[in-house]
Amino acid sequence: MKATIKPHYDILIIGGGMVGASLAAALIPAGKRLGLSIAVIEAFPMPDKGSLEYQPSYDARATALAYGSRLIYEQIGIWDQLREHLCPITDIHVSDKGRFGAARLNAADEQVAALGYVVENHWLGQVLLSRLAQDDASFIDFICPAEVSGVCYQQERMAVSLTAQGDEHQLTAELVVMADGGRSDLREQLGIGYQQQNYQQHAVVTNISPEASHNNVAYERFTDTGPMALLPLEALAVGDDERQAGVSHRMGLVWTVPDEQIDEIMQLSDEQFIARIHERFGYRAGQFVKVGERFNYPLKLSVADEQVRRGLVVLGNAAHALHPIAGQGYNLALRGVVALAAELIQAREAGVNLGDIDHLARFAEQVRNDQQKTIGFSDKTMRLFSNSNPLLALGRSAGLQLLDVCPLAKTVFARSAMGLDQPTPDLR
């Protein structure tokens, strides 16, 4: 990483994860032409940006990318590398446990190569860092490991205090972007409040192996205790003995369970856990033969009261966290990334200070509509399919069945889920 720390930057991005790195990458096509100066501050040491050698591991965490996110990453210039280690979703099967309703979406029917893609987070991170290491990104500095201790507005600029390698630094920037995730002491210091709602649920996340290939099918299964999602993952290159045992095949499982059941679920043996999955999910994906390490986290809806201030933008999980039921969290964040990048390019071309509140308010209004629609859909779907009321259960089953037999409704639903119901900004 670059050791030089300049006293002033046009844009200072706090957080070098997938959201922060995507924003920096999105600004590369226009950045050199516009003379931008950008720094990315990351609390953890960053891996080597030069190597793209990668071997998937069984327990690797993954993210679902909508087809619209593919279009974004194509424009940023990383898709060709990214596709080397991802798994396309060609079919989606939606069902309601114990009910007759089911809906099926197919990529060929929607005239797209895939409905979405599943990429391991480590690979996405490597590809983003490789993009930021290229010659045309020389205007982007990495400052890491470093910790930001203070941010404040000061004389038409943002003043930032940070510690890097034991030394304290005072920096200024026209704009500070906070992309440091869902738990940030810095946002508390700035007095940014949140509207939060606890779902009284936990997500259990793990990888699980079906005996046979998943055939690029993703599943969403609604049950009386919460939804389950199974996402196809890239197969592992393993030895013959392991392949015969079926562990070369992997699917990512996200299982929503009530808070009061989480301790029991986490204490199950692997065999008991697989049996419980079959009891809840059935055998439509075949027999499961192996499960990986299990993780869990509490689920809540969280939206920042302020996502822009003069000289400040809050982005990604720092701005909003939603239920994983529809797999839209990262895709929503990425749409916010490119909307901000496009707004910043326009502001610089117009000679406007990048921290000017008028153009930042315009960006906030644009993403607010997308957030309200996406968060509202996830929240309402979770509530509808977590309700045990018999009349509601009958209605949602009928709705799934109607969706399955109505091509127009299916296309409208699919395009929205793929993020194709709104244009992708031009980042050039």
Side-chain angles (χ1 to χ4, degrees):
M1 297 301 129
K2 297 181 181 178
T4 303
I5 300 178
K6 300 171 187 174
H8 177 77
Y9 291 92
D10 296 319
I11 303 170
L12 229 170
I13 302 170
I14 302 176
M18 296 192 300
V19 171
S22 291
L23 176 60
L27 289 165
I28 291 175
K32 196 166 187 177
R33 170 176 63 86
L34 296 174
L36 288 176
S37 173
I38 300 173
V40 179
I41 302 175
E42 172 56 41
F44 298 97
M46 300 291 273
D48 181 10
K49 294 192 295 181
S51 172
L52 271 175
E53 295 183 4
Y54 183 62
Q55 175 61 47
S57 64
Y58 185 85
D59 284 317
R61 302 274 71 78
T63 294
L65 299 178
Y67 190 86
S69 295
R70 167 184 173 164
L71 300 181
I72 291 171
Y73 279 137
E74 282 181 342
Q75 190 174 170
I76 290 175
I78 67 168
W79 183 254
D80 285 344
Q81 287 181 327
L82 203 56
R83 70 192 309 170
E84 294 176 13
H85 293 291
L86 53 71
C87 185
I89 299 173
T90 58
D91 296 87
I92 298 176
H93 185 281
V94 185
S95 61
D96 193 1
K97 185 178 185 297
R99 305 289 173 180
F100 62 86
R104 300 161 184 84
L105 302 177
N106 175 265
D109 291 344
E110 305 306 325
Q111 299 181 344
V112 292
L115 297 169
Y117 302 85
V118 186
V119 61
E120 292 178 9
N121 296 347
H122 182 54
W123 176 241
L124 175 55
Q126 268 197 287
V127 172
L128 283 167
L129 290 177
S130 177
R131 179 70 185 99
L132 298 179
Q134 294 176 15
D135 291 342
D136 59 351
S138 59
F139 59 90
I140 301 174
D141 289 348
F142 273 87
I143 304 173
C144 69
E147 183 176 350
V148 176
S149 56
V151 174
C152 65
Y153 187 78
Q154 188 178 87
Q155 297 178 345
E156 301 300 318
R157 292 179 172 183
M158 299 300 290
V160 178
S161 303
L162 64 86
T163 302
Q165 298 178 345
D167 296 325
E168 295 185 0
H169 300 267
Q170 302 296 321
L171 285 65
T172 59
E174 286 189 22
L175 178 69
V176 171
V177 179
M178 296 178 61
D180 52 348
R183 301 174 186 143
S184 171
D185 293 337
L186 200 55
R187 290 195 306 279
E188 292 185 12
Q189 291 180 27
L190 291 168
I192 298 175
Y194 283 80
Q195 299 297 318
Q196 296 194 36
Q197 186 170 325
N198 194 324
Y199 285 122
Q200 283 81 51
Q201 295 176 329
H202 272 67
V204 178
V205 181
T206 188
N207 290 345
I208 194 166
S209 288
E211 193 171 30
S213 171
H214 48 60
N215 295 316
N216 303 104
V217 180
Y219 298 90
E220 187 84 49
R221 175 74 160 166
F222 297 104
T223 80
D224 54 357
T225 56
M228 307 176 73
L230 274 167
L231 300 173
L233 291 169
E234 180 188 25
L236 292 177
V238 296
D240 291 339
D241 292 342
E242 290 176 306
R243 186 174 291 110
Q244 289 173 6
V247 298
S248 64
H249 308 296
R250 298 178 303 154
M251 301 189 79
L253 171 69
V254 182
W255 180 15
T256 303
V257 300
D259 285 347
E260 60 270 18
Q261 295 182 12
I262 187 62
D263 290 340
E264 178 209 353
I265 296 296
M266 295 301 293
Q267 291 171 9
L268 294 174
S269 67
D270 288 355
E271 293 76 14
Q272 291 170 329
F273 185 83
I274 289 174
R276 188 72 63 88
I277 294 299
H278 278 305
E279 189 273 325
R280 299 273 82 194
F281 180 78
Y283 291 83
R284 56 189 48 77
Q287 176 79 38
F288 295 118
V289 295
K290 179 181 177 181
V291 64
E293 185 178 0
R294 283 166 257 165
F295 305 88
N296 74 92
Y297 59 91
L299 296 177
K300 62 182 178 180
L301 172 62
S302 177
V303 182
D305 292 333
E306 299 173 272
Q307 296 186 23
V308 298
R309 287 181 180 177
R310 184 169 53 179
L312 181 71
V313 173
V314 183
L315 206 60
N317 279 351
H320 47 72
L322 56 157
H323 199 286
I325 189 170
Q328 288 298 316
Y330 183 70
N331 298 290
L332 177 63
L334 189 58
R335 293 196 295 272
V337 162
V338 294
L340 177 60
E343 184 64 42
L344 295 177
I345 291 168
Q346 292 178 20
R348 175 48 64 95
E349 288 175 337
V352 176
N353 186 298
L354 299 181
D356 179 80
I357 190 58
D358 290 335
H359 88 87
L360 292 181
R362 187 165 57 245
F363 154 75
E365 182 61 30
Q366 178 184 347
V367 297
R368 183 180 297 114
N369 295 331
D370 188 12
Q371 289 175 15
Q372 288 177 343
K373 183 187 72 172
T374 305
I375 292 171
F377 173 78
S378 296
D379 183 62
K380 288 181 175 62
T381 302
M382 186 282 299
R383 296 183 185 282
L384 174 63
F385 283 93
S386 295
N387 196 305
S388 58
N389 183 292
L391 290 178
L392 281 178
L394 182 63
R396 68 193 184 217
S397 291
L400 284 175
Q401 199 66 30
L402 181 62
L403 177 65
D404 196 49
V405 299
C406 181
L408 179 59
K410 189 180 292 188
T411 294
V412 170
F413 176 80
R415 288 188 64 81
S416 178
M418 289 188 289
L420 297 179
D421 54 348
Q422 52 193 313
T424 301
D426 188 344
L427 301 176
R428 293 171 294 179

